[in-house]
Every structure is written in C-alpha cells, then in structure tokens.
Amino acid sequence: MSNNKGKLVIAYSGGLDTSYCAVSLSKEYDVHAVSVNTGGFTQEEIKNIESNAYKMGVTTYKNIDAVATFYGKVVKYLIFGNVLKNSTYPLSVSAERIIQAIEIIEYAKKIGATYIAHGSTGAGNDQVRFDMIFQTLAPNIKIITPIRDQKLTRQEEIDYLKSEGIDMPWEKSKYSVNKGLWGTSVGGVETLKSEKPLPNEAYPSLLEKKGEEKVTLTFKNGEFVALNGKENKPEINIENLNEIASTYAIGRDIHVGDTIVGTKGRVGFEAAAALITIKAHHLLEKHTLTKWQLQHKEYLSSFYGMHLHEGQYLDPVMRDIEAFLQSSQKMVSGDVVVTLKPYYFTLDGIVSNHDLMSSKFSTYGEENKAWTADDAKGFIKILGNQNKIYQQINKNV
C-alpha cells in the first residue's frame, strides 16, 4: 500500500452500495471500513461483514459496539418523550443513523483520516444525516459520496464489481430489512406507492404463539429497569422484551411521512419492544404526572422527534429538551402490566407509589372529601367568567 495515499474512513454496511464504494475508493485511498452496531447484529453477521470488507480491498475493518451508547444518548429520551413520528413510527432507523454517524466521524478523527465516505444516494434522508454530522464534528475532513455523485444504478454497481473479480449474490432481495435495537424497517415494492400493504411474509417475525401472555415492565425515573421482575440494563430489557413480543408478531405498521428533502415516503416497520415500552411508559406517566407536565411534554417531545429525524441532533436545543424530559421523570416509577396477544397488546394497568389516582382528596366521578358543594359551585362560576364576558360583549357580532 502506497504511503502517499490519503487515509479514508468509509461507513461500511456490507451491502452493494458500500461495497462498490470500498472497491472503487481503494484504488485511490487508504480505506478503513467501519460499521456501527446499534442493535440487531449477531457475532456471526459481524464476522461476515468483516470478511467481505477485506475482500473489497480495505486496509482495516472496525466494528463499533454502540448499543449502550444508542440507548443512553437517544433511545432513553425517545421513551421519556413517548416519541412516535406522526403518531405511528418510533424513529427506529433515523434515530440509529445519528449515533452511527457520530461514532464513525469520531473514529475517523481518532485515526487521522483526511476523507470520509458513505454510500447514500441523493434521494433519501441518510445523506442529510451523515453529511450534517460529519461536517459539524469534523469540518476539515472531506466527504466523498460515489453513489450520489455518479448517480449509479444498482446494475452499474454490480457490473463494476464483477469486472473487479467480485462476483457475489447482489441480486436485490424482495424486501429490504434494517434491524436495530429500536425496531426493524421493512421496504418493498408495496411501500413505493400509496395503496398496498406489506404482505405477512415481508415482516421478519412471523406469528409463533397463540393465546395470551402477561409481562410486567418496571420503570424507575422513566427508565425501563426490569422485565418480569428481573433487573437488567434498559437496552437489554428492550432486547429481551422484543424477543418475547415478536413471537406474537406485535408491532407491525406502515409509516407515512415527510422526508428531509421534501418528498413523501412510506416505510414498513416492526417494533414490538419499542411500541410496548413507549405505550407502557406513557400510561405510567398519565398516572404520575400533572396535567401541565403532560401537556408541555407532548409538544416538546414532538419537536425532539422531528429534529432528530431531520438530522438536527447536534443543535443545543436538543440538550435543552433532554434536560426537560429528564427532569419530568422524577416520579415516573412503578410497574406496568401488559398482555401480549397475536398481532397486538393491551395495557392492563399500573402499580406505583406515585400514582395520583391514589389521592385521598376524591374519587373521580363519585365522591370528594376536600371541598363542599358550595366550594364546587363557586369554583365553576369563577372558571366560566371569561367565556361569559366574551359572549356578552360579542353576542350581536
């Protein structure tokens, strides 16, 4: 390897696009391939990616285990905020791309790389997320994107790799699947248009169990600290919950949203653990937070999810919102019981020392012990003052 070649780090997934980049860029640069595990990879899969990377001519390959980092820096706040994009999607892929980009650019800086490359096209969201993170954290490292710049088709990439002696089964599978800690995205011909659902076989987890099964999620200060009474790290609890719930084929849906570049898009996903955790956490919050905490959390969480999706993770406003979300979780502790059923789940209830329904003041709709009937009538009369004034003044308008 010539010493005068510039050192380049490539975000390497092992797929067609990044393989093309690795082979073509190795002719001009000293290429160092990096992949970031944010969940979903087995050790065997990682070894296979490493083996293929060296076949593509890279100098070194590095796999970074970032599952705990992904949870601590992003997923934790998505749970605190009960974030579902367009009330549907738990931001499975977009959330992990941010951490992958940060880990890759930090590695590039660590080894003194002059260049950094990724295999995104010019049509999607990932190009924005990668470029924005890279240029913000390392403005002196030049970004190289062969697929985007050359407007390559899949067939052109395959033909090039074959000409270089790399003949692998690149034929595109019917469905593209991207698995991570916070869910699995599923794309296919059906998601390219608006009218068709994904078929059952498109989803990676098929129905294995029938009947019902109860699980208990334990939260402490908003964090998922135990599953069925067994304490563990939150990211491990998420993985274990997903293993149980996916056998019921829970968490399937199709998200319709706006891309960063302004187009509409559809993507299927399967996120059993993410949806159960968010819904269970939200139920616990309904019992333990005040109505004003819940109201302000809702819009701030929506902004947090939107900014994350748009690649704005490094903007300081995100740290401001995270501080609010963290503060809001002080009393969000307790158990939530969930019943798993084929294709869906139900929330049974909660047990918490901070349950505001346990108040001795009153029972909703039945009795009160802290005020009289006259107190209630006076309160209602004053509460309606502004509406009465408005209607009286504007009654002829």
Side-chain angles (χ1 to χ4, degrees):
M1 184 68 67
S2 174
N3 290 329
N4 62 2
K5 282 189 174 184
K7 185 177 288 188
L8 178 146
V9 165
I10 181 172
Y12 184 75
S13 68
L16 175 61
D17 292 335
T18 55
S19 295
Y20 173 90
C21 292
V23 173
S24 61
L25 293 173
S26 292
K27 297 183 178 302
E28 186 176 351
Y29 304 96
D30 179 16
V31 176
H32 300 262
V34 182
S35 59
V36 181
N37 180 13
T38 47
F41 284 102
T42 66
Q43 287 302 311
E44 183 178 346
E45 288 170 334
I46 292 171
K47 289 180 180 179
N48 187 52
I49 292 172
E50 179 178 14
S51 175
N52 286 339
Y54 285 114
K55 292 177 183 177
M56 305 303 153
V58 306
T59 303
T60 65
Y61 170 80
K62 173 75 172 179
N63 180 274
I64 299 172
D65 186 345
V67 176
T69 302
F70 180 37
Y71 169 79
K73 290 189 174 182
V74 176
V75 172
K76 178 173 72 173
Y77 298 105
L78 295 178
I79 297 172
F80 288 174
N82 310 308
V83 175
L84 292 174
K85 187 77 163 55
N86 289 358
S87 303
T88 304
Y89 180 49
L91 294 179
S92 305
V93 175
S94 52
E96 64 183 29
R97 288 291 185 265
I98 299 300
I99 294 302
Q100 289 167 352
I102 291 173
E103 292 288 341
I104 290 167
I105 195 64
E106 291 298 339
Y107 181 77
K109 290 159 63 176
K110 181 180 178 180
I111 68 170
T114 308
Y115 307 92
I116 193 163
H118 61 84
S120 300
T121 69
N125 290 322
D126 286 345
Q127 60 172 331
V128 181
R129 296 171 184 136
F130 281 120
D131 280 16
M132 286 184 65
I133 296 292
F134 292 167
Q135 67 189 17
T136 300
L137 294 181
N140 295 325
I141 296 180
K142 184 178 178 180
I143 302 169
I144 298 176
T145 54
I147 309 301
R148 177 173 61 184
D149 295 345
Q150 299 173 40
K151 300 180 181 179
L152 295 168
T153 65
R154 287 184 61 83
Q155 192 57 52
E156 287 173 332
E157 295 175 53
I158 292 171
D159 291 344
Y160 172 80
L161 289 172
K162 286 182 177 180
S163 72
E164 293 293 321
I166 299 172
D167 190 3
M168 299 175 69
W170 297 114
E171 290 76 14
K172 190 174 183 181
S173 61
K174 191 173 181 181
Y175 296 100
S176 60
V177 176
N178 188 312
K179 187 177 182 181
L181 175 69
W182 205 228
T184 300
S185 67
V186 183
V189 65
E190 295 88 353
T191 58
L192 298 178
K193 294 185 178 180
S194 305
E195 66 273 15
K196 293 182 179 180
L198 284 167
N200 183 62
E201 62 268 20
Y203 294 96
S205 299
L206 302 181
L207 181 65
E208 297 177 22
K209 291 185 178 180
K210 297 182 180 180
E212 298 181 357
E213 180 177 350
K214 290 186 182 296
V215 293
T216 300
L217 284 68
T218 301
F219 294 89
K220 183 177 180 180
N221 304 128
E223 295 201 60
F224 182 11
V225 296
L227 176 63
N228 291 332
K230 184 177 181 179
E231 294 185 4
N232 220 321
K233 294 179 181 178
E235 60 270 26
I236 295 176
N237 289 328
I238 291 168
E239 291 175 339
N240 291 340
L241 175 59
N242 196 70
E243 186 175 339
I244 296 170
S246 62
T247 61
Y248 289 91
I250 289 171
R252 299 174 174 186
D253 207 341
I254 291 183
H255 166 58
V256 180
D258 296 283
T259 66
I260 304 171
V261 294
T263 59
K264 292 284 186 181
R266 292 177 89 218
V267 63
F269 67 90
E270 176 185 287
L275 291 177
I276 293 170
T277 303
I278 286 174
K279 292 297 184 180
H281 174 266
H282 192 201
L283 177 62
L284 185 59
E285 282 194 329
K286 291 176 186 179
H287 282 264
T288 58
L289 300 186
T290 69
K291 65 179 179 180
W292 301 125
Q293 284 180 299
L294 289 167
Q295 181 187 43
H296 292 295
K297 274 189 79 268
E298 188 171 341
Y299 68 79
L300 284 173
S301 298
S302 178
F303 276 115
Y304 187 84
M306 174 61 77
H307 293 327
L308 185 70
H309 175 269
E310 300 278 320
Q312 298 288 348
Y313 177 79
L314 294 178
D315 191 291
V317 73
M318 297 293 277
R319 310 293 82 77
D320 298 334
I321 298 175
E322 287 168 357
F324 173 88
L325 293 174
Q326 183 77 60
S327 175
S328 74
Q329 300 301 294
K330 185 177 181 180
M331 301 301 175
V332 185
S333 298
D335 294 337
V336 184
V337 180
V338 180
T339 298
L340 309 179
K341 306 174 184 179
Y343 301 110
Y344 75 106
F345 63 93
T346 55
L347 303 174
D348 296 351
I350 71 103
V351 177
S352 172
N353 291 332
H354 306 289
D355 185 1
L356 299 181
M357 280 192 70
S358 302
S359 167
K360 296 179 181 179
F361 281 79
S362 66
T363 301
Y364 178 71
E366 293 187 7
E367 62 178 351
N368 71 78
K369 300 176 181 178
W371 57 83
T372 67
D374 286 339
D375 291 337
K377 287 185 278 188
F379 165 74
I380 296 165
K381 184 175 182 179
I382 294 172
L383 183 66
N385 271 342
Q386 189 165 86
N387 278 335
K388 287 182 283 188
I389 293 169
Y390 178 88
Q391 294 297 333
Q392 289 171 3
I393 291 175
N394 297 297
K395 62 183 177 180
N396 295 323
V397 177

